[in-house]
Amino acid sequence: MSESLASLLGERERVFPVSPEAWRAVEGWVGRALPEDYKNLVDGYGDAVLFGHLFVPHPGGSDPLLNFMQEERRYFHAAYQDVSDIPASLKSKWDDVVPWAYHDWNGDVCLLVPGDTAGLWNVAVAFRQNPGFLIVDGGVEDFFQLILREEKFPRGWPVGQSGWESIPDSPLV
């Protein structure tokens, strides 16, 4: 069972949540409702870098969330379409993956992957340097629990850096 984001990341850093209109625009593009744990992450911690390298965009941030998702999905499809060992759970949802974070250390992208049951989502990390995938059965809270409680960072991610840091000149400050 996943823990709350506040127990994993500390008290929320952003005071103002994402507007319902912004979420409608994002979810309209996605084609379905996004998971609540992910929306809570963006509301409380978005337009920031976690663990020194994991950029989490926000709809009103320096790289607006919808633009980020659209650009990263195009890049993801182009960069990974010829990878031969795409897991079946990801390949079957290929056109529906939703980029939600970017790791600036090595270019990895974090994806939300719709589950087989309506309303359920899993997390995947697409590794850029040596193409491959990490699939986490569960949502964003489960992903952070894996990193923070179990200390199982995705391969190639530097460890030891923690905390939350706003993007410089973020319009959300």
Side-chain angles (χ1 to χ4, degrees):
M1 173 165 244
S2 64
E3 295 182 56
S4 73
L5 287 171
S7 71
L8 293 166
L9 299 173
E11 291 302 314
R12 56 186 292 130
E13 297 286 346
R14 297 292 184 207
V15 178
F16 303 105
V18 176
S19 72
E21 297 80 19
W23 280 128
R24 278 194 292 278
V26 169
E27 290 177 331
W29 178 77
V30 170
R32 64 188 73 189
L34 290 166
E36 287 303 313
D37 63 345
Y38 168 69
K39 291 167 71 171
N40 290 334
L41 173 72
V42 172
D43 278 342
Y45 307 92
D47 203 34
V49 174
L50 302 174
F51 319 121
H53 297 283
L54 186 64
F55 170 62
V56 177
H58 184 284
S62 55
D63 184 3
L65 179 62
L66 184 55
N67 292 349
F68 170 87
M69 287 177 167
Q70 291 168 334
E71 290 172 7
E72 285 298 319
R73 184 189 278 175
R74 279 192 300 272
Y75 168 77
F76 169 74
H77 283 159
Y80 293 88
Q81 67 185 352
D82 295 327
V83 173
S84 62
D85 58 348
I86 299 169
S89 62
L90 183 58
K91 196 169 195 168
S92 67
K93 309 290 184 179
W94 191 254
D95 292 330
D96 298 319
V97 297
V98 178
W100 65 271
Y102 176 81
H103 198 274
D104 69 3
W105 179 264
N106 52 17
D108 297 342
V109 65
C110 295
L111 307 164
L112 292 170
V113 182
D116 293 329
T117 305
L120 293 180
W121 293 77
N122 294 312
V123 168
V125 177
F127 298 110
R128 181 174 179 213
Q129 300 298 320
N130 183 8
F133 302 93
L134 168 68
I135 306 292
V136 177
D137 291 327
V140 170
E141 289 175 355
D142 297 303
F143 177 72
F144 285 120
Q145 182 169 326
L146 184 71
I147 290 173
L148 295 169
R149 295 286 187 254
E150 298 179 32
E151 298 180 357
K152 294 180 181 175
F153 278 76
R155 75 172 188 220
W157 288 22
V159 297
Q161 295 184 359
S162 62
W164 175 92
E165 184 178 333
S166 183
I167 297 295
D169 300 322
S170 172
L172 303 178
V173 177

